[in-house]
Short mmCIF file of all heavy atoms in Angstrom, two decimals:
data_model
loop_
_atom_site.label_atom_id
_atom_site.label_comp_id
_atom_site.label_asym_id
_atom_site.label_seq_id
_atom_site.Cartn_x
_atom_site.Cartn_y
_atom_site.Cartn_z
N GLY A 10 -14.24 11.49 -4.03
CA GLY A 10 -12.92 10.88 -3.92
C GLY A 10 -12.89 9.49 -4.52
O GLY A 10 -13.93 8.86 -4.75
N SER A 11 -11.70 8.98 -4.77
CA SER A 11 -11.54 7.67 -5.39
C SER A 11 -11.74 6.56 -4.37
O SER A 11 -11.22 6.62 -3.25
CB SER A 11 -10.15 7.54 -6.02
OG SER A 11 -9.95 6.23 -6.48
N ARG A 12 -12.49 5.54 -4.76
CA ARG A 12 -12.69 4.37 -3.91
C ARG A 12 -11.40 3.57 -3.75
O ARG A 12 -11.25 2.79 -2.82
CB ARG A 12 -13.79 3.50 -4.52
CG ARG A 12 -14.30 2.37 -3.64
CD ARG A 12 -15.14 2.88 -2.50
NE ARG A 12 -15.80 1.80 -1.78
CZ ARG A 12 -16.54 1.98 -0.70
NH1 ARG A 12 -16.72 3.19 -0.21
NH2 ARG A 12 -17.10 0.97 -0.08
N THR A 13 -10.47 3.77 -4.66
CA THR A 13 -9.24 2.96 -4.64
C THR A 13 -8.29 3.33 -3.52
O THR A 13 -7.33 2.61 -3.27
CB THR A 13 -8.49 3.09 -5.98
OG1 THR A 13 -8.15 4.46 -6.20
CG2 THR A 13 -9.33 2.57 -7.13
N GLN A 14 -8.55 4.44 -2.81
CA GLN A 14 -7.64 4.82 -1.73
C GLN A 14 -7.53 3.72 -0.69
O GLN A 14 -6.46 3.47 -0.13
CB GLN A 14 -8.08 6.12 -1.06
CG GLN A 14 -7.05 6.63 -0.04
CD GLN A 14 -7.53 7.81 0.76
OE1 GLN A 14 -8.73 8.08 0.85
NE2 GLN A 14 -6.60 8.54 1.37
N GLU A 15 -8.64 3.02 -0.42
CA GLU A 15 -8.59 1.97 0.60
C GLU A 15 -7.66 0.83 0.17
O GLU A 15 -7.01 0.20 1.00
CB GLU A 15 -9.98 1.45 0.94
CG GLU A 15 -10.70 0.68 -0.15
CD GLU A 15 -11.99 0.06 0.36
OE1 GLU A 15 -12.94 0.81 0.70
OE2 GLU A 15 -12.06 -1.19 0.43
N VAL A 16 -7.59 0.59 -1.13
CA VAL A 16 -6.68 -0.44 -1.64
C VAL A 16 -5.23 -0.01 -1.46
O VAL A 16 -4.38 -0.79 -0.99
CB VAL A 16 -6.97 -0.74 -3.13
CG1 VAL A 16 -5.99 -1.78 -3.66
CG2 VAL A 16 -8.41 -1.19 -3.32
N VAL A 17 -4.94 1.23 -1.81
CA VAL A 17 -3.58 1.76 -1.68
C VAL A 17 -3.12 1.71 -0.23
O VAL A 17 -1.99 1.29 0.08
CB VAL A 17 -3.51 3.20 -2.22
CG1 VAL A 17 -2.13 3.81 -1.94
CG2 VAL A 17 -3.79 3.22 -3.72
N VAL A 18 -3.99 2.11 0.70
CA VAL A 18 -3.63 2.09 2.12
C VAL A 18 -3.36 0.66 2.60
O VAL A 18 -2.38 0.40 3.31
CB VAL A 18 -4.72 2.76 2.99
CG1 VAL A 18 -4.40 2.61 4.47
CG2 VAL A 18 -4.85 4.23 2.63
N SER A 19 -4.21 -0.28 2.21
CA SER A 19 -3.99 -1.69 2.59
C SER A 19 -2.64 -2.19 2.08
O SER A 19 -1.89 -2.85 2.80
CB SER A 19 -5.11 -2.57 2.03
OG SER A 19 -6.34 -2.31 2.64
N GLN A 20 -2.35 -1.89 0.82
CA GLN A 20 -1.08 -2.31 0.25
C GLN A 20 0.10 -1.68 1.00
O GLN A 20 1.09 -2.36 1.28
CB GLN A 20 -1.01 -1.93 -1.23
CG GLN A 20 -1.91 -2.74 -2.13
CD GLN A 20 -1.74 -2.33 -3.58
OE1 GLN A 20 -1.47 -1.17 -3.90
NE2 GLN A 20 -1.90 -3.27 -4.48
N GLU A 21 -0.02 -0.41 1.32
CA GLU A 21 1.09 0.28 1.98
C GLU A 21 1.30 -0.22 3.40
O GLU A 21 2.43 -0.26 3.88
CB GLU A 21 0.87 1.79 1.91
CG GLU A 21 1.03 2.32 0.49
CD GLU A 21 0.89 3.83 0.38
OE1 GLU A 21 0.45 4.46 1.37
OE2 GLU A 21 1.20 4.37 -0.70
N ILE A 22 0.22 -0.61 4.09
CA ILE A 22 0.38 -1.21 5.41
C ILE A 22 1.22 -2.48 5.30
O ILE A 22 2.19 -2.69 6.04
CB ILE A 22 -0.99 -1.52 6.05
CG1 ILE A 22 -1.71 -0.23 6.45
CG2 ILE A 22 -0.82 -2.43 7.28
CD1 ILE A 22 -3.15 -0.45 6.89
N LEU A 23 0.84 -3.35 4.36
CA LEU A 23 1.54 -4.63 4.21
C LEU A 23 2.97 -4.42 3.72
O LEU A 23 3.90 -5.11 4.17
CB LEU A 23 0.78 -5.53 3.24
CG LEU A 23 -0.61 -6.00 3.70
CD1 LEU A 23 -1.31 -6.77 2.59
CD2 LEU A 23 -0.50 -6.87 4.95
N GLN A 24 3.16 -3.46 2.82
CA GLN A 24 4.50 -3.27 2.24
C GLN A 24 5.44 -2.60 3.23
O GLN A 24 6.60 -3.00 3.35
CB GLN A 24 4.41 -2.44 0.96
CG GLN A 24 5.76 -2.30 0.26
CD GLN A 24 5.65 -2.15 -1.23
OE1 GLN A 24 4.61 -2.40 -1.82
NE2 GLN A 24 6.73 -1.73 -1.87
N THR A 25 4.96 -1.61 3.96
CA THR A 25 5.85 -0.94 4.92
C THR A 25 6.23 -1.86 6.07
O THR A 25 7.28 -1.68 6.69
CB THR A 25 5.21 0.34 5.49
OG1 THR A 25 3.94 0.03 6.06
CG2 THR A 25 5.05 1.39 4.41
N MET A 26 5.40 -2.88 6.33
CA MET A 26 5.74 -3.87 7.36
C MET A 26 6.61 -5.00 6.83
O MET A 26 7.01 -5.89 7.59
CB MET A 26 4.46 -4.45 7.97
CG MET A 26 3.63 -3.45 8.76
SD MET A 26 2.25 -4.22 9.59
CE MET A 26 3.12 -5.22 10.82
N GLY A 27 6.87 -4.99 5.53
CA GLY A 27 7.71 -6.03 4.94
C GLY A 27 6.99 -7.34 4.71
O GLY A 27 7.64 -8.37 4.50
N LEU A 28 5.64 -7.32 4.70
CA LEU A 28 4.88 -8.55 4.53
C LEU A 28 4.54 -8.85 3.08
O LEU A 28 4.34 -10.00 2.70
CB LEU A 28 3.58 -8.48 5.35
CG LEU A 28 3.76 -8.31 6.86
CD1 LEU A 28 2.41 -8.12 7.54
CD2 LEU A 28 4.48 -9.52 7.45
N ARG A 29 4.42 -7.81 2.25
CA ARG A 29 4.16 -7.95 0.83
C ARG A 29 4.94 -6.87 0.09
O ARG A 29 5.36 -5.87 0.68
CB ARG A 29 2.66 -7.77 0.51
CG ARG A 29 1.69 -8.79 1.06
CD ARG A 29 1.67 -10.10 0.29
NE ARG A 29 1.37 -9.98 -1.12
CZ ARG A 29 0.16 -10.01 -1.66
NH1 ARG A 29 -0.91 -10.13 -0.88
NH2 ARG A 29 -0.02 -9.95 -2.96
N ALA A 30 5.09 -7.06 -1.21
CA ALA A 30 5.66 -6.02 -2.08
C ALA A 30 4.72 -5.83 -3.25
O ALA A 30 4.45 -6.78 -3.99
CB ALA A 30 7.05 -6.41 -2.56
N PHE A 31 4.20 -4.61 -3.41
CA PHE A 31 3.24 -4.32 -4.47
C PHE A 31 3.80 -3.35 -5.49
O PHE A 31 3.63 -3.53 -6.69
CB PHE A 31 1.95 -3.74 -3.88
CG PHE A 31 1.22 -4.67 -2.97
CD1 PHE A 31 1.36 -4.58 -1.60
CD2 PHE A 31 0.38 -5.65 -3.49
CE1 PHE A 31 0.68 -5.44 -0.75
CE2 PHE A 31 -0.30 -6.52 -2.66
CZ PHE A 31 -0.15 -6.42 -1.28
N THR A 32 4.40 -2.29 -5.01
CA THR A 32 4.92 -1.26 -5.90
C THR A 32 6.10 -0.58 -5.23
O THR A 32 6.15 -0.52 -3.99
CB THR A 32 3.81 -0.22 -6.21
OG1 THR A 32 4.23 0.62 -7.27
CG2 THR A 32 3.47 0.62 -5.00
N PRO A 33 7.09 -0.12 -5.97
CA PRO A 33 8.23 0.55 -5.35
C PRO A 33 7.78 1.73 -4.48
O PRO A 33 6.91 2.50 -4.88
CB PRO A 33 9.05 1.03 -6.55
CG PRO A 33 8.71 0.07 -7.64
CD PRO A 33 7.26 -0.26 -7.43
N MET A 34 8.36 1.84 -3.30
CA MET A 34 8.02 2.91 -2.38
C MET A 34 9.10 3.99 -2.43
O MET A 34 10.29 3.69 -2.52
CB MET A 34 7.90 2.37 -0.95
CG MET A 34 6.89 1.25 -0.80
SD MET A 34 5.18 1.81 -0.96
CE MET A 34 4.94 2.57 0.63
N VAL A 35 8.65 5.23 -2.37
CA VAL A 35 9.58 6.35 -2.42
C VAL A 35 9.81 6.89 -1.01
O VAL A 35 8.87 7.31 -0.33
CB VAL A 35 9.04 7.48 -3.32
CG1 VAL A 35 9.99 8.67 -3.32
CG2 VAL A 35 8.84 6.96 -4.75
N THR A 36 11.07 6.86 -0.57
CA THR A 36 11.45 7.50 0.68
C THR A 36 11.70 8.98 0.42
O THR A 36 12.36 9.34 -0.56
CB THR A 36 12.74 6.86 1.24
OG1 THR A 36 12.49 5.47 1.52
CG2 THR A 36 13.20 7.55 2.51
N ALA A 37 11.16 9.84 1.27
CA ALA A 37 11.37 11.28 1.10
C ALA A 37 11.43 11.92 2.48
O ALA A 37 10.73 11.50 3.40
CB ALA A 37 10.25 11.90 0.28
#
């Protein structure tokens, strides 16, 4: 598996909480 998954999860924690913005998030 890709080592980068931990980075994506960290970013998504911060972004979904409204603390940072890294990449557009898709609501589905």
Side-chain angles (χ1 to χ4, degrees):
S11 174
R12 191 72 172 176
T13 59
Q14 187 187 20
E15 67 173 67
V16 178
V17 173
V18 174
S19 292
Q20 289 182 327
E21 290 183 349
I22 290 171
L23 294 174
Q24 184 151 345
T25 55
M26 294 186 68
L28 299 175
R29 295 283 303 271
F31 297 98
T32 192
M34 303 290 283
V35 178
T36 298

